Amino acid sequence: MRPRSFLLATIGTGLIGCALPSGQTLVSITVNPSSVSVSQGGSVQFTALGTTSQGYVLNPLAANWSFSGFTSIPIPTGVSIDANGLATCSGFQGAVPVYAIHPVDLSALPPAEVGPGTGMGFVTGAGQLTCK
């Protein structure tokens, strides 16, 4: 299991330069597909859709992908997800949550998108991958 500080640094570094439309605030993320089953050796592409405070949908939304999010859930071996949301089942059998994560500055009113640093919060969306 990776330390939480490593996960936060990875998320922040991976999302530098991801910009929302001017004056928009990201309020939610939807992960597609929301739930999917994949056979051993198979892969599935997850995508993130962002919804802004003014109701605009950002499709696709650049996000950092994770099986653990900000929890202490151990990441199982035999399943992987890359920086683009491509998940592969290669030995693991069972279900794992899939998280799309995007940073925002929650201290700003309204919350604003930020790069890595202090005052950072996150908007997350979740789906599920089942490896058969």
Side-chain angles (χ1 to χ4, degrees), residues 26-114:
L26 184 66
V27 294
S28 68
I29 297 175
T30 301
V31 172
N32 287 319
S34 61
S35 182
V36 64
S37 295
V38 176
S39 298
Q40 290 301 312
S43 297
V44 62
Q45 180 68 56
F46 285 95
T47 60
L49 301 152
T51 302
T52 70
S53 55
Q54 294 181 359
Y56 293 102
V57 175
L58 305 169
N59 181 15
L61 173 72
N64 193 297
W65 295 94
S66 171
F67 289 130
S68 61
F70 297 106
T71 69
S72 59
I73 297 171
I75 299 170
T77 57
V79 63
S80 62
I81 192 162
D82 70 12
N84 299 310
L86 182 66
T88 303
C89 295
S90 56
F92 173 76
Q93 290 188 335
V96 292
V98 175
Y99 296 98
I101 305 164
H102 195 89
V104 294
D105 180 354
L106 298 176
S107 66
L109 293 175
E113 182 177 34
V114 295

Side-chain angles (χ1 to χ4, degrees), residues 10-27:
T10 302
I11 290 167
T13 302
L15 291 173
I16 293 173
C18 298
L20 296 173
S22 179
Q24 299 291 312
T25 302
L26 184 66
V27 294

